[in-house]
Amino acid sequence: MNIHEYQSKQVLKSFGVNVPNGIPAFTVEEAVEAAKKLDSKVTVVKAQIHAGGRGKAGGVKIAKSLDEVKEYATELLGKVLVTHQTGPEGKKVGRLLIEEGSNIAKEYYLSFVNDRNTAKIVMIGSEEGGMEIEKVAAENPEKIIKEYIDISVGLLPFQATRMAYKMNFKPEVIRKATATMMKLYEAFIGKDCSQVEINPLVVTAEDDVICLDAKLNFDDSGLFRHPDIVELRDKTEEDPKELWAAEEGLNYVNLGGDVACMVNGAGLAMATVDILKYYGGNPANFLDVGGSSTPEKIATAFEIMLDGGQAKGIFVNIFGGINRCDVIAEGIQKAAQIIAEKTGSDGIPVPVVVRLEGTKVEEGRKILTDNPVKNVIMAPTMEGGAEKIVALVKEAEKNA
Ligand code: GDP
Ligand code: MN
């Protein structure tokens, strides 16, 4: 789960991390009120969206008066910001962070993420922080410093010190920098984060070390331990199909393509996405219907996949274990019925290729051959099924 910058900063502050004073604002009036309260010579007006790259896209403004705060707030609120992380459709700004300005002397980069290769947490630092960090990583990888942290002992002070020296902090701020690293690590562990990224971490002209930007990501599996974090969820930032699926207890990730798939088991679902891609298809989603499907749940999955006209074809790839093929077959019938009723049509509007194997497979196939559902074709193998659905979608596109 992602949260906004201003929320990330509140969380970090509770761990004693140094962040600028700031107040969130949802309207222009609130923005001006916030600036008045902060009473700072320079006020920063920052668009709050779940994506980085705002600086370059004009989402971070430096205001020198209340009039300017008003001007920038008016400009940013409701604006669709397109950054290199939002995709071409951009993200609409619904909130601002009004913050006191900082007297930046130098910008650094600091982050913590899980490293799957070493099964450790890696702290990543660079003296080349700011808006060009991706370029630094690509062109000057030696400027990216890594420190691997064993989770059973935590971040050790000598590691933080080593990082601070390698990042070339000047002697006056080394202790402040290491203290910041230790606290950020505490926050990472304490809140079950999957990422803590500070870019930029700045040293000010007054030799303060401040987190000027903050991006926290949380491990969804740990959220049950953090109701305070769950409360920070901003549903307007999340994919509507993924939210809908989550409410229905379906494990769904929107991949943006047009060949949808419905699979049981995460491993098989990933393999299915891969094989669709292998045959030249553009997967619409990852969907694991899980082990306890009902016909109703299957029908909902179909509705989600078809919503907005995204799916131009659906591949149902089921290996029945706990899930039974006859339940899946009934689900497909039910889906056709529900979609027919809701849209006043004669059923599922796109080709559906079904590959069933495993528990109650004969019964499942019988259900679909005895009472054929419009547009539904049976496939004996996973390879053949994937190839078939990709071909059908391509053909439909050609004819469209
Ligand atoms: P991002 O582009 O989405 O990562 O947004 P950031 O919060 O990192 O802001 C982008 C840039 O704006 C930073 O690298 C800073 O150079 C600048 N910036 C952000 N806050 C302040 C501030 O308080 N004062 C000044 N002078 N610049 C700031
Ligand atoms: Mn940033």
Coordinates of all heavy atoms in Angstrom, one line a residue, residues 280-321:
G280 N 2.4 -13.6 -28.0 CA 2.2 -12.3 -28.6 C 1.0 -11.5 -28.0 O 0.6 -10.5 -28.6
G281 N 0.4 -12.0 -27.0 CA -0.8 -11.3 -26.4 C -0.3 -10.2 -25.4 O 0.8 -10.2 -25.0
N282 N -1.3 -9.4 -25.1 CA -1.0 -8.3 -24.1 C -1.9 -8.5 -22.9 O -3.1 -8.1 -22.9 CB -1.4 -6.9 -24.8 CG -0.7 -5.8 -24.1 OD1 0.0 -5.9 -23.1 ND2 -1.0 -4.6 -24.7
P283 N -1.4 -9.1 -21.8 CA -2.2 -9.5 -20.7 C -3.0 -8.3 -20.1 O -2.4 -7.3 -19.8 CB -1.2 -10.2 -19.7 CG -0.1 -10.5 -20.6 CD 0.0 -9.5 -21.7
A284 N -4.2 -8.5 -19.8 CA -5.0 -7.5 -19.2 C -4.9 -7.5 -17.7 O -5.1 -6.4 -17.0 CB -6.5 -7.6 -19.5
N285 N -4.6 -8.6 -17.1 CA -4.6 -8.7 -15.7 C -3.9 -10.0 -15.2 O -3.7 -10.9 -16.0 CB -6.0 -8.7 -15.1 CG -6.8 -9.9 -15.6 OD1 -7.3 -9.9 -16.7 ND2 -6.8 -11.0 -14.9
F286 N -3.6 -9.9 -13.9 CA -3.2 -11.1 -13.2 C -4.5 -11.4 -12.3 O -5.0 -10.5 -11.7 CB -2.0 -10.8 -12.3 CG -1.8 -11.8 -11.2 CD1 -0.8 -12.8 -11.3 CD2 -2.5 -11.8 -10.0 CE1 -0.5 -13.7 -10.3 CE2 -2.2 -12.7 -9.0 CZ -1.2 -13.6 -9.1
L287 N -5.0 -12.6 -12.3 CA -6.1 -12.9 -11.4 C -6.1 -14.3 -10.9 O -6.1 -15.3 -11.6 CB -7.5 -12.7 -12.2 CG -8.7 -13.2 -11.5 CD1 -8.9 -12.6 -10.1 CD2 -9.9 -13.0 -12.4
D288 N -5.9 -14.4 -9.6 CA -6.0 -15.6 -8.9 C -7.3 -15.7 -8.1 O -7.5 -15.0 -7.2 CB -4.8 -15.7 -7.9 CG -4.8 -16.9 -6.9 OD1 -5.6 -17.8 -7.2 OD2 -4.0 -16.9 -6.0
V289 N -8.2 -16.6 -8.6 CA -9.5 -16.7 -8.0 C -9.5 -17.5 -6.7 O -10.4 -17.6 -5.9 CB -10.6 -17.3 -8.9 CG1 -10.9 -16.4 -10.0 CG2 -10.2 -18.7 -9.4
G290 N -8.3 -18.0 -6.4 CA -8.1 -18.7 -5.1 C -8.7 -20.1 -5.0 O -9.2 -20.6 -6.0
G291 N -8.7 -20.6 -3.8 CA -9.1 -22.0 -3.7 C -10.6 -22.2 -3.3 O -11.0 -23.4 -3.2
S292 N -11.3 -21.2 -3.0 CA -12.6 -21.4 -2.5 C -13.6 -20.6 -3.3 O -14.3 -19.7 -2.9 CB -12.7 -20.9 -1.0 OG -12.4 -19.5 -1.0
S293 N -13.6 -20.9 -4.6 CA -14.5 -20.1 -5.5 C -16.0 -20.6 -5.4 O -16.2 -21.8 -5.1 CB -14.0 -20.3 -6.9 OG -12.8 -19.6 -7.1
T294 N -16.8 -19.7 -5.7 CA -18.3 -20.0 -5.9 C -18.6 -19.5 -7.3 O -17.9 -18.7 -7.8 CB -19.1 -19.3 -4.8 OG1 -18.9 -17.9 -5.0 CG2 -18.7 -19.7 -3.4
P295 N -19.7 -20.0 -7.8 CA -20.2 -19.5 -9.1 C -20.3 -18.0 -9.1 O -20.0 -17.3 -10.1 CB -21.5 -20.2 -9.4 CG -21.4 -21.5 -8.6 CD -20.6 -21.1 -7.4
E296 N -20.8 -17.4 -8.0 CA -21.0 -16.0 -7.9 C -19.7 -15.2 -8.0 O -19.6 -14.2 -8.7 CB -21.7 -15.6 -6.6 CG -23.2 -16.0 -6.5 CD -23.4 -17.5 -6.3 OE1 -22.4 -18.2 -5.9 OE2 -24.5 -18.0 -6.6
K297 N -18.7 -15.8 -7.3 CA -17.4 -15.1 -7.4 C -16.8 -15.2 -8.8 O -16.2 -14.2 -9.2 CB -16.4 -15.9 -6.4 CG -15.5 -15.0 -5.6 CD -14.9 -15.7 -4.4 CE -13.6 -15.2 -4.0 NZ -13.0 -16.0 -2.9
I298 N -16.9 -16.3 -9.5 CA -16.5 -16.4 -10.8 C -17.2 -15.4 -11.7 O -16.5 -14.7 -12.6 CB -16.7 -17.8 -11.4 CG1 -16.1 -18.9 -10.5 CG2 -16.3 -18.0 -12.8 CD1 -14.6 -18.8 -10.4
A299 N -18.5 -15.2 -11.5 CA -19.2 -14.3 -12.3 C -18.7 -12.9 -12.1 O -18.6 -12.1 -13.0 CB -20.7 -14.4 -11.9
T300 N -18.4 -12.5 -10.8 CA -17.9 -11.2 -10.5 C -16.6 -11.0 -11.2 O -16.3 -9.9 -11.7 CB -17.7 -11.0 -9.0 OG1 -19.0 -11.3 -8.3 CG2 -17.3 -9.6 -8.6
A301 N -15.7 -12.0 -11.2 CA -14.4 -11.9 -11.9 C -14.6 -11.6 -13.3 O -13.9 -10.7 -13.9 CB -13.7 -13.2 -11.7
F302 N -15.6 -12.2 -14.0 CA -15.9 -11.9 -15.4 C -16.3 -10.4 -15.5 O -15.9 -9.7 -16.5 CB -17.0 -12.8 -15.9 CG -16.4 -14.0 -16.6 CD1 -16.1 -15.1 -15.8 CD2 -16.3 -14.1 -17.9 CE1 -15.5 -16.3 -16.4 CE2 -15.7 -15.3 -18.5 CZ -15.4 -16.3 -17.8
E303 N -17.2 -10.0 -14.6 CA -17.6 -8.6 -14.7 C -16.5 -7.6 -14.6 O -16.4 -6.6 -15.3 CB -18.6 -8.3 -13.6 CG -20.0 -8.8 -13.9 CD -20.9 -8.3 -12.8 OE1 -21.4 -7.1 -12.8 OE2 -21.2 -9.1 -11.9
I304 N -15.5 -7.9 -13.7 CA -14.4 -7.0 -13.5 C -13.5 -7.0 -14.7 O -13.1 -5.9 -15.2 CB -13.6 -7.4 -12.2 CG1 -14.4 -7.2 -10.9 CG2 -12.3 -6.6 -12.1 CD1 -13.8 -7.8 -9.7
M305 N -13.3 -8.2 -15.3 CA -12.4 -8.2 -16.4 C -13.0 -7.5 -17.6 O -12.3 -6.8 -18.4 CB -12.1 -9.7 -16.8 CG -11.3 -10.4 -15.8 SD -10.8 -12.1 -16.3 CE -12.3 -13.0 -16.2
L306 N -14.3 -7.6 -17.8 CA -15.0 -7.0 -18.9 C -15.3 -5.5 -18.7 O -15.5 -4.8 -19.7 CB -16.3 -7.7 -19.2 CG -16.1 -9.1 -19.8 CD1 -17.4 -9.9 -19.7 CD2 -15.6 -9.1 -21.2
D307 N -15.2 -5.0 -17.5 CA -15.6 -3.7 -17.2 C -14.8 -2.6 -18.0 O -13.6 -2.8 -18.2 CB -15.4 -3.4 -15.7 CG -15.9 -2.0 -15.3 OD1 -17.1 -1.8 -15.4 OD2 -15.1 -1.2 -14.8
G308 N -15.5 -1.7 -18.5 CA -14.9 -0.6 -19.3 C -14.5 -1.1 -20.7 O -13.7 -0.4 -21.4
G309 N -14.9 -2.3 -21.1 CA -14.5 -2.8 -22.4 C -13.0 -3.2 -22.5 O -12.5 -3.4 -23.6
Q310 N -12.4 -3.4 -21.3 CA -10.9 -3.7 -21.3 C -10.6 -5.1 -22.0 O -9.8 -5.2 -22.9 CB -10.3 -3.7 -19.9 CG -8.8 -3.9 -19.9 CD -8.2 -3.9 -18.5 OE1 -8.9 -3.8 -17.5 NE2 -6.9 -4.0 -18.5
A311 N -11.3 -6.2 -21.5 CA -11.0 -7.5 -22.0 C -11.6 -7.7 -23.4 O -12.8 -7.5 -23.6 CB -11.5 -8.6 -21.1
K312 N -10.7 -8.1 -24.4 CA -11.2 -8.4 -25.7 C -11.2 -9.9 -25.9 O -11.7 -10.4 -26.9 CB -10.2 -7.8 -26.8 CG -10.1 -6.3 -26.7 CD -11.4 -5.6 -27.2 CE -11.2 -4.1 -27.3 NZ -11.3 -3.4 -26.0
G313 N -10.8 -10.6 -24.9 CA -10.9 -12.0 -24.9 C -10.5 -12.5 -23.5 O -9.8 -11.8 -22.8
I314 N -11.0 -13.7 -23.1 CA -10.7 -14.2 -21.7 C -10.2 -15.6 -21.8 O -10.8 -16.5 -22.5 CB -11.9 -14.1 -20.8 CG1 -12.4 -12.6 -20.7 CG2 -11.7 -14.7 -19.4 CD1 -13.7 -12.5 -20.0
F315 N -9.1 -15.9 -21.1 CA -8.6 -17.2 -21.0 C -8.8 -17.7 -19.6 O -8.3 -17.2 -18.6 CB -7.1 -17.2 -21.3 CG -6.4 -18.5 -21.3 CD1 -7.1 -19.7 -21.7 CD2 -5.1 -18.7 -21.0 CE1 -6.5 -20.9 -21.7 CE2 -4.4 -19.9 -21.0 CZ -5.1 -21.1 -21.4
V316 N -9.6 -18.8 -19.5 CA -9.8 -19.4 -18.2 C -8.9 -20.6 -18.1 O -9.0 -21.5 -18.9 CB -11.3 -19.8 -18.0 CG1 -11.5 -20.5 -16.6 CG2 -12.2 -18.6 -18.1
N317 N -8.0 -20.5 -17.1 CA -7.0 -21.6 -17.0 C -7.0 -22.2 -15.6 O -6.5 -21.6 -14.7 CB -5.6 -21.1 -17.4 CG -4.6 -22.2 -17.4 OD1 -4.9 -23.3 -17.5 ND2 -3.3 -21.8 -17.4
I318 N -7.7 -23.3 -15.4 CA -7.9 -23.8 -14.1 C -7.3 -25.2 -13.9 O -7.5 -26.1 -14.7 CB -9.5 -23.9 -13.8 CG1 -10.1 -22.6 -13.9 CG2 -9.7 -24.6 -12.5 CD1 -9.7 -21.6 -12.8
F319 N -6.5 -25.3 -12.9 CA -6.1 -26.6 -12.4 C -6.8 -27.0 -11.1 O -6.4 -26.5 -10.1 CB -4.6 -26.7 -12.3 CG -4.1 -28.1 -12.1 CD1 -3.8 -28.9 -13.3 CD2 -4.0 -28.7 -10.9 CE1 -3.4 -30.2 -13.1 CE2 -3.6 -30.0 -10.7 CZ -3.3 -30.8 -11.8
G320 N -7.9 -27.7 -11.3 CA -8.7 -28.0 -10.1 C -8.0 -28.8 -9.0 O -7.4 -29.8 -9.3
G321 N -8.0 -28.2 -7.8 CA -7.4 -29.0 -6.7 C -8.5 -28.8 -5.6 O -9.5 -29.6 -5.6

